[in-house]
């Protein structure tokens, strides 16, 4: 599960973080040359970012805690924090900066994921656990069990309302407060809200091959088959070999149920589609059946990657780097582009394939929306009942979710790797003259513990360094193209622990059965029409109706 979440987070961040640009007219000092001045300026800039900031001795206090502004406390305080990460605090460029800005020293307990997860379990079982637990270590079941259930995690909504305007701003975004609130009416975790493409995975088609062969963009599946046949037969990569793969996608991102949307109802991973305000099992629909028959036809005619169901992501990407794909499913075509390729506007290798009309379809084509433009991670951080200074911790997270620190989390540090040119607008600085060691210090993974929450206002803009080429924002283009065809995204809900466990068991069995049948039918080992009735009967035996009831229970359906 952690790998799936990490993959999703990386995908979301790919949509919000622009690659470091080249060129420019000003060269900033490298971290080693400017670290002293940058750290020295942190407290001043942090205080300036708060509208209520005033000289420290004039701000309202509760004991040692400043109610607003930065630093957070007058005399230094500390708390313990367990988090999973491959690095250590000494390796993180922003750790001393948040300490300087808040006057709070965190005692970091940092371990790789598997070790951190094991230590978390041991700590909780022994009763000797830290003040804060975060990263990818907590599940929804654990939040439900240790929050409303055992009281190990403390509710924080009142502290957020009083001490954290930045978290309040995140909670006030559409659907966020509702998503973060548990069935008992309390909030137990720090919100982590990211702008994200509405469409995560979609097909792309080889623009260069289309142009070389004089082909037009297809509008329906019959036209698509004609294009794919041309890719197969006319050597569009020009190497004199018949090695072109007309359609590919690794089996994680290329889930074929999505293409049932071309016949009216997309079927995402998990096989439930949110329709008319409730979850419906849709891997038993005519749209699903037609989509699988379509890909069985592609396979029969030599148009589908013969390793579609067996290759891993690395194998899939390696073939793409050799210019073998005519059409491919993924997050973005940079996933399989040649090494060193930068997605610059005007040089893109692939175009998004539009939402097509399925042959014989009577319904309008639709596509699955992964989000409404926002994704909410709701289990990233919880404060435990061991914490003696909960309000201080909430104030510390207020700075962690500030625009200043959140922007730095993705980009380096103000006036070191970028500068502010207007409200919510930044411009990258030219770092091409830095040595490799200094560049490494401000690489994304070395900036902070990136699984922890941040909050960048959605209207924040990053401009490339002067003279740098313009990025090709293909996910924005996909959202624009697919927008009229998108269905309503799934709501994020909490289920009680007992229901969640039962859902997991039923979901696992049904997903495996459906995935196995898809592979069998598409590869031609069996015929979907001949097995359809038996397939439907087996879905019932595996608990399809019970799972449908449980998935809709949190919705009050």
């Amino acid at each position: 599960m952690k790998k799936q979440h990490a993959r999703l987070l990386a995908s979301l961040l790919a949509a919000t973080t622009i690659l470091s640009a080249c060129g420019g007219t000003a060269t900033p000092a490298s971290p080693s040359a400017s670290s002293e001045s940058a750290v020295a300026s942190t407290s001043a800039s942090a205080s300036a970012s708060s509208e209520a900031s005033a000289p420290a001795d004039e701000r309202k206090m509760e004991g040692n805690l400043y109610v607003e502004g930065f630093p957070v406390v007058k005399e230094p305080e500390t708390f313990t924090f367990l988090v999973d990460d491959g690095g250590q605090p000494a390796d993180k460029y922003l750790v001393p900066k948040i300490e300087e800005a808040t006057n709070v020293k965190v005692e970091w307990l940092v371990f790789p994921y598997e070790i951190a997860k094991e230590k978390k379990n041991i700590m909780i079982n022994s009763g000797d656990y830290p003040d804060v637990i975060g990263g990818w270590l907590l599940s929804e079941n654990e939040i439900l069990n240790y929050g409303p259930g055992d009281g190990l995690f403390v509710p924080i909504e009142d502290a957020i309302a009083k001490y954290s305007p930045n978290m309040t701003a995140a909670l006030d975004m559409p659907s966020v407060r509702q998503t973060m609130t548990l069935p008992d009416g309390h909030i137990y975790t720090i919100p982590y809200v990211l702008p994200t493409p509405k469409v995560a995975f979609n097909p792309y088609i080889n623009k260069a091959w289309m142009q070389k062969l004089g082909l037009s963009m297809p509008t329906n599946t019959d036209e698509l088959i004609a294009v794919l046949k041309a890719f197969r037969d006319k050597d569009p990569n020009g190497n004199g070999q018949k090695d072109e793969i007309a359609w590919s996608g690794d089996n994680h991102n290329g889930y074929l149920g999505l293409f049932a949307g071309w016949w009216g109802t997309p079927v995402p991973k998990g096989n439930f589609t949110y329709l008319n305000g409730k979850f419906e099992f849709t891997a038993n629909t005519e749209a699903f059946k037609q989509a699988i028959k379509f890909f069985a036809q592609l396979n029969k005619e030599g148009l589908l990657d013969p390793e579609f169901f067996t290759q891993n992501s690395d194998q899939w990407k390696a073939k793409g780097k050799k210019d073998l794909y005519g059409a491919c499913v993924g997050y973005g075509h940079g996933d399989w582009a040649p090494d060193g390729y930068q997605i610059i506007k005007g040089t893109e290798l692939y175009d998004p394939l539009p939402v097509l009309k399925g042959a014989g379809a009577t319904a309008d084509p639709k596509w699955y929306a992964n989000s409404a433009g926002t994704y909410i991670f709701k289990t990233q951080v919880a404060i435990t009942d061991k914490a003696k200074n909960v309000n201080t911790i909430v104030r510390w997270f207020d700075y962690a979710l500030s625009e200043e620190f959140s922007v730095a989390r993705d980009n380096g540090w103000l006036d070191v790797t970028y500068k502010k040119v207007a409200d919510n607008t930044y411009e990258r600085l030219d770092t091409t003259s830095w040595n490799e060691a200094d560049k490494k210090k401000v690489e994304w993974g070395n900036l902070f513990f990136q699984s922890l929450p941040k909050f960048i206002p959605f209207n924040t803009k990053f401009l490339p360094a002067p003279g740098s080429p313009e990025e090709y924002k293909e996910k924005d283009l996909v959202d624009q193209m697919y927008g009229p065809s998108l269905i309503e995204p799934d709501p994020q809900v909490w289920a009680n622990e007992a229901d969640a466990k039962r859902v997991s068991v039923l979901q696992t069995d049904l997903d495996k059965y459906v995935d196995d049948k898809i592979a069998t039918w598409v590869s031609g080992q069996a015929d979907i029409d001949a097995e359809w009735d038996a397939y439907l009967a087996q879905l019932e035996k595996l608990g399809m109706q019970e799972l449908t009831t449980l998935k809709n229970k949190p919705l009050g359906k």
Side-chain angles (χ1 to χ4, degrees):
M1 185 65 70
K2 180 257 183 181
K3 291 182 179 178
Q4 294 176 357
H5 284 164
R7 184 184 185 112
L8 176 58
L9 177 58
S11 298
L12 302 187
L13 291 170
T16 59
T17 305
I18 303 175
L19 296 175
S20 296
C22 299
T25 58
T27 301
S30 66
S32 57
S34 63
S35 58
E36 183 176 345
S37 60
V39 172
S41 67
T42 304
S43 292
S45 59
S47 295
S49 68
S50 171
E51 293 181 3
S53 290
D57 57 358
E58 294 182 11
R59 286 186 288 145
K60 181 180 178 181
M61 298 191 69
E62 294 180 355
N64 189 46
L65 178 72
Y66 290 111
V67 175
E68 56 189 11
F70 303 103
V72 168
V73 290
K74 184 175 182 179
E75 299 299 329
E77 293 188 22
T78 187
F79 64 89
T80 54
F81 198 151
L82 174 66
V83 65
D84 60 303
D85 194 275
Q88 287 297 314
D91 305 324
K92 303 299 183 183
Y93 182 70
L94 297 179
V95 164
K97 299 190 184 299
I98 193 170
E99 182 177 331
E100 180 80 11
T102 61
N103 201 25
V104 176
K105 181 177 178 59
V106 177
E107 295 181 12
W108 295 100
L109 307 171
V110 184
F111 305 94
Y113 170 72
E114 293 295 344
I115 297 175
K117 186 176 180 181
E118 181 180 357
K119 286 186 175 292
K120 175 206 68 177
N121 293 335
I122 293 172
M123 289 173 173
I124 289 177
N125 289 335
S126 69
D128 184 16
Y129 45 85
D131 300 323
V132 183
I133 300 174
W136 301 111
L137 300 178
L138 298 172
S139 67
E140 290 188 19
N141 284 346
E142 287 173 316
I143 301 299
L144 286 161
N145 185 41
Y146 297 138
D150 293 348
L152 188 151
F153 297 147
V154 300
I156 56 175
E157 68 276 0
D158 291 341
I160 290 174
K162 185 173 182 179
Y163 300 112
S164 182
N166 291 313
M167 273 192 274
T168 298
L171 288 171
D172 286 345
M173 295 188 66
S175 302
V176 176
R177 188 178 297 275
Q178 176 184 359
T179 298
M180 298 299 301
T181 302
L182 269 65
D184 70 346
H186 292 297
I187 295 173
Y188 291 87
T189 50
I190 305 293
Y192 187 0
V193 186
L194 282 174
T196 175
K198 296 178 181 179
V199 178
F201 302 112
N202 60 278
Y204 295 84
I205 196 161
N206 195 310
K207 180 179 181 179
W209 290 11
M210 295 271 288
Q211 292 174 341
K212 182 176 181 179
L213 300 179
L215 301 171
S216 299
M217 184 67 75
T219 62
N220 57 53
T221 52
D222 288 339
E223 293 175 3
L224 175 61
I225 288 175
V227 169
L228 297 180
K229 287 181 177 178
F231 289 165
R232 180 194 63 191
D233 299 334
K234 297 185 178 181
D235 192 28
N237 65 10
N239 65 359
Q241 303 176 35
K242 198 168 183 178
D243 57 357
E244 289 83 0
I245 298 170
W247 184 284
S248 188
D250 79 310
N251 197 32
H252 177 81
N253 292 344
Y255 184 57
L256 303 183
L258 291 175
F259 294 90
W262 288 356
W263 283 266
T265 306
V267 183
K269 276 288 188 182
N271 303 305
F272 278 85
T273 309
Y274 188 65
L275 299 169
N276 302 314
K278 62 181 181 179
F279 288 106
E280 296 183 15
F281 188 88
T282 48
N284 59 352
T285 59
E286 184 63 24
F288 173 80
K289 183 179 181 182
Q290 292 303 319
I292 300 307
K293 292 177 72 171
F294 171 76
F295 282 100
Q297 178 185 356
L298 294 191
N299 181 68
K300 184 177 181 181
E301 299 192 26
L303 301 174
L304 185 67
D305 190 335
E307 298 178 309
F308 187 90
F309 292 106
T310 58
Q311 65 192 348
N312 60 35
S313 292
D314 289 339
Q315 293 168 327
W316 163 63
K317 291 177 181 180
K319 291 188 294 185
K321 294 178 188 298
K322 297 177 182 178
D323 192 27
L324 299 183
Y325 296 150
C328 196
V329 182
Y331 179 83
H333 77 269
D335 285 354
W336 62 88
D339 290 334
Y341 170 68
Q342 291 185 339
I343 305 180
I344 304 301
K345 189 174 182 179
T347 67
E348 60 271 15
L349 300 177
Y350 286 74
D351 282 332
L353 185 69
V355 180
L356 304 183
K357 180 85 170 182
T362 57
D364 292 334
K366 299 293 181 183
W367 196 258
Y368 179 72
N370 293 82
S371 79
T374 301
Y375 193 84
I376 306 163
F377 291 93
K378 56 185 182 178
T379 65
Q380 296 305 107
V381 174
I383 302 173
T384 76
D385 59 358
K386 296 290 187 182
K388 305 303 182 185
N389 51 355
V390 172
N391 294 340
T392 296
I393 295 171
V394 169
R395 291 277 287 113
W396 184 89
F397 272 105
D398 186 56
Y399 180 70
L401 270 69
S402 68
E403 180 181 341
E404 174 181 270
F405 196 73
S406 294
V407 167
R409 284 270 305 274
D410 278 351
N411 301 283
W413 194 248
L414 185 67
D415 295 328
V416 176
T417 55
Y418 58 91
K419 65 180 180 180
K420 191 168 187 175
V421 296
D423 288 344
N424 303 113
T425 304
Y426 301 85
E427 184 180 283
R428 299 194 183 282
L429 298 176
D430 178 13
T431 59
T432 55
S433 65
W434 289 11
N435 62 48
E436 291 305 312
D438 282 337
K439 289 179 181 178
K440 190 173 183 62
K441 289 178 183 178
V442 293
E443 288 180 354
W444 185 77
N446 293 331
L447 289 171
F448 201 63
F449 306 105
Q450 295 292 12
S451 59
L452 299 181
K454 59 177 172 282
F455 180 59
I456 300 175
F458 284 18
N459 61 344
T460 300
K461 297 179 181 179
F462 250 87
L463 307 175
S468 299
E470 183 179 354
E471 181 194 20
Y472 175 58
K473 299 182 179 180
E474 64 183 348
K475 298 308 295 185
D476 290 347
L477 177 59
V478 171
D479 279 355
Q480 181 180 356
M481 289 177 59
Y482 280 49
S485 301
L486 295 179
I487 64 171
E488 185 178 357
D490 298 353
Q492 292 181 262
V493 296
W494 297 90
N496 66 54
E497 184 179 10
D499 287 347
K501 287 181 178 179
R502 182 60 178 160
V503 165
S504 179
V505 171
L506 294 171
Q507 188 84 65
T508 299
D509 291 345
L510 278 162
D511 286 354
K512 184 180 186 306
Y513 179 65
V514 173
D515 288 349
D516 288 348
K517 297 310 294 184
I518 289 174
T520 298
W521 292 329
V522 171
S523 63
Q525 299 176 47
D527 179 73
I528 190 171
D529 285 324
E531 293 192 346
W532 188 248
D533 288 343
Y535 167 74
L536 296 181
Q538 184 62 19
L539 292 175
E540 295 288 347
K541 292 180 181 178
L542 290 172
M544 180 187 70
Q545 295 298 337
E546 181 186 358
L547 182 57
T548 301
T549 299
L550 289 172
K551 288 184 73 70
N552 283 297
K553 188 176 178 180
L555 302 175
K557 302 293 183 178

